[in-house]
Amino acid sequence: MKITLDTTFNGSLGQVTLSQAVRELREHDLACTVPAEAVDRKVTVFAHCVERGFTPLRSEIMAAYYVAERDATTEAFDRGLITRGELESRQAQLTSLLLS
């Protein structure tokens, strides 16, 4: 399963996209960082929750958001939409915001 910012899943109040969920977490000061070594495991759990219709935990949502943003940035670079400097800058920002 490819996780994107538009991935839809069951949130606490119904269907929500990954970007909407992260925006809501941030608005309520509930966003969290994820240990770098746990990202892959948490993304796997997120994917299983989505497939089974369960609500993922916020750390799993944040890990999935990190991967979706990272992949979108890499794709933008691969398509020539951003420079290597922009790619590196965005990746550094993501790491500092979402990983602990």
Side-chain angles (χ1 to χ4, degrees):
M1 164 184 192
K2 179 164 173 64
I3 298 172
T4 68
L5 298 174
D6 295 325
T7 298
T8 304
F9 61 94
N10 287 324
S12 59
L13 300 175
Q15 289 288 302
V16 64
T17 66
L18 182 54
S19 20
Q20 290 169 326
V22 171
R23 185 173 43 253
E24 289 175 16
L25 287 171
R26 287 182 174 157
E27 287 173 359
H28 293 67
D29 291 325
L30 296 173
C32 62
T33 58
V34 178
E37 64 276 1
V39 169
D40 290 337
R41 180 175 41 83
K42 291 195 174 286
V43 169
T44 299
V45 172
F46 175 87
H48 288 299
C49 286
V50 170
E51 290 169 358
R52 294 185 174 124
F54 299 134
T55 301
L57 299 173
R58 64 185 168 141
S59 63
E60 294 157 358
I61 292 169
M62 296 307 290
Y65 180 76
Y66 168 79
V67 168
E69 281 282 3
R70 181 196 65 198
D71 291 352
T73 301
T74 301
E75 184 177 321
F77 173 74
D78 291 344
R79 295 174 71 198
L81 301 174
I82 62 174
T83 66
R84 177 166 298 284
E86 290 170 314
L87 170 70
E88 292 169 355
S89 174
R90 288 183 184 182
Q91 287 176 337
Q93 287 174 330
L94 275 175
T95 299
S96 69
L97 287 174
L98 300 172
L99 301 184
S100 58

